[in-house]
Amino acid sequence: MSVQEYLDKHMLSRKIEDAVNAAVRAKTPDPVLFISNHMRKSVPSVITKVKARQILDSRGIPTVEVDLHTNKGVFRASAPSGSSSGMYEAVELRDGDKGTYLGNGVSRAVKNINEKISEALIGMDPTLQVQIDQAMIDLDKTEKKGELGANAILAVSMAACKAGAAEKEVPLYKHIADLAGKTNYHIPVPAFTLISGGKHAGNNLAIQEIMILPVGARKFEEALQIGSETYQLLKAVITEKYGSHGCNVGEDGGFAPNISSLKEGLEFVKEAIARTGYNEKIKIAIGVAATEFCIGTKYDLDYKSPNKSGQNFKSGEDMIDMYKELCEAYPIVSIEDPFDKEDWEHSKYFSSLGICQVVGDDLLSSNAKRIERAVQEAACNALLLKINQVGTVTEAIEVTKLAKDANWGVVISQRSGESEDSFLADLAVGLATGQIKAGAPCRGERLAKYNQLLRIEEELGDKSIYAGDDWRHC
């Protein structure tokens, strides 16, 4: 296409004339800058290139990063990754070459972006998120995104979402809210990881994490302060009993003292809370991840202790009794994956007791069909949303709506493999989920999300609403 043809196609001659006239009317002191900005707004944004690369996540394992180019800028995003993947979630594409990154490389996913996805998206309007995501789904042609890789598709989807926000000249959370049909912005209550176990830590604790929720804070800024102070005081509590070596941390920043008892961990957290003086403002949540230690129909809470493993199995009924006792003894308001991902009956019964929020993680895998079944059977009452399990921003919005329509809680969740990308913070605000789980109040990849929430709260000013006591039903 010649220059003249391009000018004629986009009616640029007329637009330039309009820009000059507007500059004259505005009596601007810098007409060149005024005309430049006027022209940027008058020419629609289109995707011109998508460039991917392999980077390392917070665990030192490869993941996909994308630079999505438009005629107005470059927008970057990276895909999170978990320590485990289930049969019901979108497929993360790894190279499998044991000679390179022990088989964890993502060069195939990167190649799919650079050679296939980029070509398919060139010329598309970045504000049209649904069409962009559908174009990639159609290109992949598999149910779980196994051809191109969910890690490839998600990174592009996130980058396109950022480009769409920039084109509309609105914050990312505002663009996401528009896509989801939301009008109110709620800053979520953070679930700070204080103690890590399970697959996330090298101690003997079977359950995955103990978290605190500062539901009594007046705003997110105070919630972050509460989380930070409790974390630092917990370090002192652990040090007093185990010494400084007891303060090693897990993959998401929680302390990992060599304990095997959940009660001992809860006592540590209880003491730390007492020392802060925030007793009335803090509730406790536990992430059990029971699938990891379920053998048949029994649960082995000593599976990480070689001398005890296999000697004290618990039935589903035993686990229910344990949870009931814990909820009576501690201010526990949320339990995540209390049973195996296929243990629907015990999950349904426990949920029916109404003791606390029951969050489906492995049970649901952010899978729409699993969520629909869980809603019908009342198997839980909250969704743990991991965006890499669905693979696109559009599908994340859709499953959130499924959960919200059922009057469920929704928790936007990190993965053990994270980057400095703060997308999850904007997603939680835009979808008004009321809850976010981004790890401990330490480590850069975790704080990227929490610090972004601080900025959003500041930007919203008087319009900012901290979820607080309404954390489940924003």
Side-chain angles (χ1 to χ4, degrees):
M1 182 185 296
S2 69
V3 173
Q4 188 59 51
E5 288 173 334
Y6 185 86
L7 290 170
D8 292 341
K9 178 180 178 181
H10 296 284
M11 296 185 293
L12 291 183
S13 297
R14 176 62 181 274
K15 290 175 181 176
I16 292 171
E17 182 180 343
D18 290 343
V20 171
N21 290 335
V24 172
R25 289 193 300 271
K27 298 180 180 179
T28 174
D30 191 340
V32 174
L33 179 61
F34 184 96
I35 292 169
S36 174
N37 290 335
H38 194 283
M39 288 299 297
R40 282 176 60 86
K41 293 178 182 179
S42 66
V43 178
S45 178
V46 295
I47 297 172
T48 58
K49 181 173 72 171
V50 185
K51 170 66 177 176
R53 66 183 62 85
Q54 177 173 269
I55 63 169
L56 297 185
D57 67 21
S58 57
R59 304 166 300 174
I61 295 174
T63 191
V64 178
E65 180 179 81
V66 163
D67 286 346
L68 185 141
H69 297 247
T70 73
N71 51 327
K72 296 185 179 181
V74 181
F75 305 90
R76 178 171 293 167
S78 55
S81 175
S83 58
S84 61
S85 58
M87 66 180 74
Y88 303 111
E89 63 187 77
V91 175
E92 185 179 67
L93 190 61
R94 298 279 178 181
D95 296 342
D97 177 6
K98 297 297 182 181
T100 305
Y101 284 112
L102 307 178
N104 291 316
V106 291
S107 61
R108 290 166 60 200
V110 167
K111 184 177 180 181
N112 285 339
I113 295 171
N114 293 336
E115 295 183 2
K116 297 178 181 179
I117 294 177
S118 180
E119 181 179 346
L121 300 188
I122 288 175
M124 293 190 72
D125 179 348
T127 65
L128 303 179
Q129 187 74 40
V130 174
Q131 288 89 326
I132 290 170
D133 291 341
Q134 191 60 51
M136 291 189 285
I137 291 170
D138 292 344
L139 186 65
D140 179 86
K141 294 186 178 67
T142 68
E143 182 181 359
K144 296 194 289 186
K145 303 176 179 65
E147 180 66 27
L148 299 176
N151 44 349
I153 293 172
L154 176 62
V156 175
S157 181
M158 292 164 62
C161 195
K162 294 179 181 182
E167 170 62 10
K168 290 164 59 177
E169 297 185 334
V170 299
L172 179 56
Y173 63 85
K174 173 68 165 64
H175 178 49
I176 292 171
D178 290 345
L179 293 172
K182 298 285 185 178
T183 55
N184 294 323
Y185 310 114
H186 288 83
I187 309 296
V189 170
F192 294 116
T193 302
L194 293 193
I195 291 182
S196 295
K199 277 193 169 185
H200 290 180
N203 55 14
N204 289 329
L205 184 63
I207 71 123
Q208 189 164 277
E209 64 238 329
I210 302 173
M211 299 165 281
I212 59 167
L213 283 69
V215 297
R218 290 170 290 110
K219 53 194 297 189
F220 182 80
E221 182 180 18
E222 183 187 1
L224 187 58
Q225 177 184 336
I226 290 172
S228 174
E229 292 178 8
T230 309
Y231 184 81
Q232 298 302 328
L233 286 168
L234 177 61
K235 182 177 182 179
V237 172
I238 294 171
T239 301
E240 289 169 11
K241 182 166 184 179
Y242 288 104
S244 59
H245 65 276
C247 295
N248 293 330
V249 299
E251 289 181 339
D252 55 359
F255 293 116
N258 195 25
I259 59 176
S260 57
S261 164
L262 173 54
K263 283 189 176 181
E264 185 178 5
L266 287 167
E267 282 297 318
F268 279 153
V269 171
K270 182 180 177 181
E271 174 60 23
I273 293 172
R275 293 188 188 187
T276 66
Y278 296 128
N279 300 64
E280 301 304 314
K281 295 186 176 184
I282 297 175
K283 300 298 182 183
I284 294 175
I286 57 176
V288 180
T291 298
E292 299 298 335
F293 53 87
C294 181
I295 302 173
T297 60
K298 301 290 185 180
Y299 297 90
D300 184 4
L301 287 168
D302 294 319
Y303 85 104
K304 294 175 70 180
S305 303
N307 297 329
K308 298 180 181 179
S309 181
Q311 299 178 24
N312 187 25
F313 288 110
K314 288 186 179 295
S315 66
E317 290 77 12
D318 294 333
M319 295 292 283
I320 289 173
D321 289 340
M322 181 185 75
Y323 296 138
K324 288 164 69 174
E325 290 174 9
L326 292 174
C327 288
E328 289 177 2
Y330 304 94
I332 296 171
V333 295
S334 182
I335 299 179
E336 178 186 316
D337 266 358
F339 306 98
D340 178 70
K341 66 179 182 295
E342 302 300 346
D343 193 348
W344 290 82
E345 293 308 312
H346 285 112
S347 189
K348 284 191 287 186
Y349 177 71
F350 184 61
S351 296
S352 74
L353 299 177
I355 295 173
C356 64
Q357 174 177 258
V358 181
V359 185
D361 178 11
D362 291 337
L363 178 74
L364 305 175
S365 298
S366 303
N367 180 294
K369 292 179 180 178
R370 300 278 289 188
I371 295 168
E372 288 170 352
R373 176 183 172 184
V375 168
Q376 292 170 359
E377 299 186 19
C380 59
N381 52 38
L383 163 68
L384 192 79
L385 175 57
K386 296 174 175 176
I387 55 174
N388 71 308
Q389 291 183 331
V390 285
T392 66
V393 173
T394 298
E395 289 164 294
I397 292 171
E398 290 171 350
V399 296
T400 298
K401 187 176 187 304
L402 273 178
K404 288 286 189 179
D405 286 348
N407 202 33
W408 280 15
V410 178
V411 187
I412 297 294
S413 179
Q414 60 162 13
R415 300 311 309 266
S416 57
E418 278 290 343
S419 72
E420 60 274 20
D421 196 318
S422 61
F423 186 88
L424 291 184
D426 288 83
L427 185 68
V429 176
L431 297 183
T433 60
Q435 304 176 66
I436 186 171
K437 173 184 172 183
C442 78
R443 297 176 55 123
E445 76 281 358
R446 314 294 156 180
L447 293 175
K449 286 72 169 171
Y450 295 135
N451 288 338
Q452 176 65 0
L453 288 170
L454 275 179
R455 299 182 194 103
I456 294 172
E457 183 172 70
E458 180 183 90
E459 180 178 288
L460 286 171
D462 293 340
K463 295 180 181 179
S464 174
I465 303 172
Y466 177 61
D469 290 331
D470 294 326
W471 54 283
R472 288 203 65 235
H473 300 293
C474 290

